[in-house]
Amino acid sequence: MDATTQATGDEQETREPVLDTVDRVSELCFGLFMALTFVGAVSAVTAGEDAGRKMLASALGCNLAWGLADAVMYLVRTLTNRARRLTLALTIQQERNAAVAVAALRDALPKALKTLIADSELEMIRARLAATPLLPARVHFVRDDFIGALAIFLIVVISTFPVALPFVVFDEVATALIVSRALTLVMLFGAGFALGRFSGAGGMRAGLSMMTVGVVLTMAIIALGG
């Protein structure tokens, strides 16, 4: 195995997922809340033959639009952040005064980290950046950016079905509403559980907290006529 092959293999093994747990759960909750709010608002005025399919089509159309908008904004956010990092790297590389370059690196740090990282550590980063050859002149999209945008779109759209599909399965709107809201709460619990496990805060506690948010939102929708 040559050095290139080994480097490629190492990169594949350490490659981070396109969307992390927070991204995936956040988009799922966003889609659920959008569909829940839309179904709650429309269910009161949707009646008659084929009302369930009309409800599903309406909610799906809503989340298709929002999923597309969210996917596009993900691309915008990704390219903007990448451009910001490249600008910083080019600034550090071109700055002849090491102290000024270190100060620029410190300014770019999150506030919570500024007191935890010494100038000597930033100097090592500055030196590596200064020695890095051939930084790109501009940023561009890569394949994973579009995969991430597609994943966001699909998560938002797929989250429509647990909320709206019961209106197709059940003839009684009241029954469909109960099943829809129950499924939503189960999914919210799962989303909160995943976030809790990811953050180390405790899956059960986070799951119950997220489900409580769903209960409060559902009560607000009912109070508003949903």
Side-chain angles (χ1 to χ4, degrees):
M1 179 184 297
D2 58 27
T4 303
T5 303
Q6 183 176 358
T8 303
D10 292 341
E11 181 181 357
Q12 290 175 346
E13 289 177 1
T14 59
R15 182 178 177 182
E16 294 183 357
V18 176
L19 297 177
D20 63 20
T21 300
V22 176
D23 289 329
R24 293 193 295 269
V25 172
S26 297
E27 295 301 333
L28 174 64
C29 291
F30 173 76
L32 283 173
F33 286 132
M34 285 298 302
L36 181 63
T37 303
F38 190 83
V39 166
V42 175
S43 61
V45 297
T46 303
E49 187 178 357
D50 212 22
R53 286 183 174 80
K54 292 177 183 177
M55 176 76 72
L56 176 60
S58 298
L60 184 60
C62 172
N63 272 15
L64 279 170
W66 280 108
L68 178 61
D70 214 19
V72 171
M73 291 310 301
Y74 167 82
L75 292 174
V76 171
R77 183 173 66 252
T78 297
L79 198 65
T80 301
N81 289 334
R82 188 171 296 150
R84 183 171 178 268
R85 292 192 297 269
L86 177 60
T87 299
L88 176 62
L90 290 172
T91 299
I92 299 304
Q93 192 174 64
Q94 295 166 6
E95 178 57 58
R96 294 181 179 274
N97 188 322
V100 173
V102 167
L105 281 172
R106 182 166 296 282
D107 288 341
L109 289 174
K111 185 177 180 180
L113 296 179
K114 288 185 178 182
T115 59
L116 301 177
I117 300 179
D119 284 351
S120 57
E121 295 171 294
L122 294 176
E123 168 57 26
M124 289 189 290
I125 297 174
R126 184 209 65 79
R128 285 196 295 269
L129 282 173
T132 301
L134 301 176
L135 284 174
R138 64 183 65 184
V139 296
H140 55 83
F141 289 116
V142 297
R143 183 189 63 175
D144 281 356
D145 298 335
F146 298 104
I147 293 175
L150 177 61
I152 285 175
F153 174 77
L154 291 177
I155 290 171
V156 174
V157 171
I158 290 172
S159 64
T160 306
F161 292 98
V163 179
L165 198 58
F167 292 91
V168 176
V169 177
F170 299 96
D171 294 330
E172 293 291 331
V173 174
T175 303
L177 276 172
I178 293 172
V179 174
S180 172
R181 287 164 180 162
L183 289 175
T184 300
L185 293 178
V186 170
M187 292 188 69
L188 286 174
F189 175 83
F193 187 88
L195 283 180
R197 291 287 298 274
F198 179 75
S199 66
M204 289 296 296
R205 180 183 300 177
L208 291 173
S209 297
M210 185 69 78
M211 193 166 62
T212 300
V213 172
V215 170
V216 172
L217 179 59
T218 301
M219 291 173 63
I221 291 171
I222 293 173
L224 293 171

